[in-house]
Amino acid sequence: MFKATIYVTLKESVLDPQGVAVQGTLHALGYQKVSDVRIGKRMEVLIEAKDRQEAEAQIAEICEKVLANPVIENFRFELEEVA
Amino acid sequence: MFKATIYVTLKESVLDPQGVAVQGTLHALGYQKVSDVRIGKRMEVLIEAKDRQEAEAQIAEICEKVLANPVIENFRFELEEVA
């Protein structure tokens, strides 16, 4: 069994409306010194696989096809063997 | 200037409906070997501060008061000095 920690982030060139909204809120609350707020996702998934290679291939496929939008997002992941 | 990378995750004891939904989708798409899908946020923020200590205090306060809900979420962050 492996645990994958997956990070999905917007590509640099893509505007981040959520980040802009959070930044506006922070400024309104007095945190004027913050800038460039970017929001992404962090996901954890347990996956059964016979070896690390199979786990890696499965997680990469899941990221490419389901969890990340390749047009506007990048993904990377870390794999850890668990129980 | 410092760059904070902030991770906000649901506490272990809290049900993750988003994670349950993603897991259902993955199973429906044939990825039966995945389980325990948990979804969190990864945020990047640039912050002006005179030193690391001030940056750390400001980011901790921002997380406690704005970015994370202390009742159901945990947060941690990494700080990196930039330009």
Side-chain angles (χ1 to χ4, degrees), chain B residues 2-82:
Chain B
F2 292 84
K3 179 172 136 180
T5 305
I6 300 161
Y7 302 99
V8 176
T9 52
L10 285 171
K11 291 184 177 180
E12 290 288 327
S13 56
V14 176
L15 175 71
D16 180 355
Q18 206 181 355
V20 169
V22 168
Q23 183 170 308
T25 301
L26 292 175
H27 285 177
L29 292 170
Y31 301 106
Q32 304 292 342
K33 293 185 180 173
V34 298
S35 58
D36 283 27
V37 178
R38 306 279 293 177
I39 313 276
K41 285 170 276 192
R42 176 190 183 277
M43 293 175 261
E44 285 176 13
V45 176
L46 288 185
I47 186 161
E48 259 176 68
K50 65 178 188 313
D51 55 33
R52 175 174 282 269
Q53 217 175 351
E54 185 187 295
E56 217 153 83
Q58 279 284 291
I59 294 294
E61 186 180 315
I62 283 170
C63 288
E64 277 152 20
K65 290 187 174 170
V66 183
L67 300 181
N69 175 344
V71 174
I72 60 169
E73 291 174 326
N74 294 317
F75 70 85
R76 65 180 179 83
F77 60 88
E78 296 148 5
L79 266 185
E80 185 193 332
E81 190 149 17
V82 292

Side-chain angles (χ1 to χ4, degrees), chain A residues 1 7-9 12 18 22 25-26 29-31 33-50 54 58-59 61-62 65-67 76, chain B residues 1 7-9 12 18 22 25-26 29-31 33-50 54 58-59 61-62 65-67 76:
Chain A
M1 181 79 87
Y7 302 98
V8 176
T9 51
E12 291 287 328
Q18 206 181 355
V22 168
T25 301
L26 290 175
L29 291 171
Y31 301 106
K33 293 186 181 171
V34 299
S35 58
D36 284 23
V37 178
R38 306 278 293 177
I39 313 276
K41 285 169 277 190
R42 176 191 183 277
M43 293 174 261
E44 285 176 13
V45 176
L46 288 186
I47 186 161
E48 261 175 63
K50 67 177 185 316
E54 184 187 295
Q58 280 285 290
I59 294 294
E61 186 180 315
I62 283 171
K65 291 187 175 171
V66 184
L67 300 181
R76 66 179 179 83
Chain B
M1 180 78 87
Y7 302 99
V8 176
T9 52
E12 290 288 327
Q18 206 181 355
V22 168
T25 301
L26 292 175
L29 292 170
Y31 301 106
K33 293 185 180 173
V34 298
S35 58
D36 283 27
V37 178
R38 306 279 293 177
I39 313 276
K41 285 170 276 192
R42 176 190 183 277
M43 293 175 261
E44 285 176 13
V45 176
L46 288 185
I47 186 161
E48 259 176 68
K50 65 178 188 313
E54 185 187 295
Q58 279 284 291
I59 294 294
E61 186 180 315
I62 283 170
K65 290 187 174 170
V66 183
L67 300 181
R76 65 180 179 83

